[in-house]
Amino acid sequence: MSAEVPRQEPTSMPRLALYALVVCVLAVVAAVVSFAQGSWLGIVWVLLVGLSSNMTWYYLRRGRAASSAE
């Protein structure tokens, strides 16, 4: 008696890309608040936005490439 296990559909967004996107959004908010308070620390947040947005694109492209290879 063999029970078939249903295959899971791939998620539309890989988990690491989703985490990087959340970090990106939070860093944008932190940069806006820093600049609104007159702090130059917002520059660090802007750099983090750039890094996390690049990570988001990387993980999205990697996930799409992996799903198309299957």
Side-chain angles (χ1 to χ4, degrees):
M1 200 160 151
S2 171
E4 287 190 35
V5 178
R7 294 184 63 184
Q8 282 187 323
E9 293 294 322
T11 58
S12 61
M13 180 178 274
R15 186 172 295 165
L16 287 175
L18 183 62
Y19 291 156
L21 181 63
V22 168
V23 170
C24 185
V25 169
L26 290 175
V28 167
V29 171
V32 168
V33 170
S34 287
F35 284 129
Q37 292 179 350
S39 172
W40 286 99
L41 188 63
I43 293 172
V44 175
W45 292 114
V46 170
L47 293 174
L48 186 62
V49 168
L51 176 68
S52 60
S53 67
N54 285 340
M55 288 175 61
T56 301
W57 282 116
Y58 171 77
Y59 286 122
L60 276 176
R61 289 180 58 196
R62 191 174 104 176
R64 287 181 187 159
S67 66
S68 67
E70 291 177 357

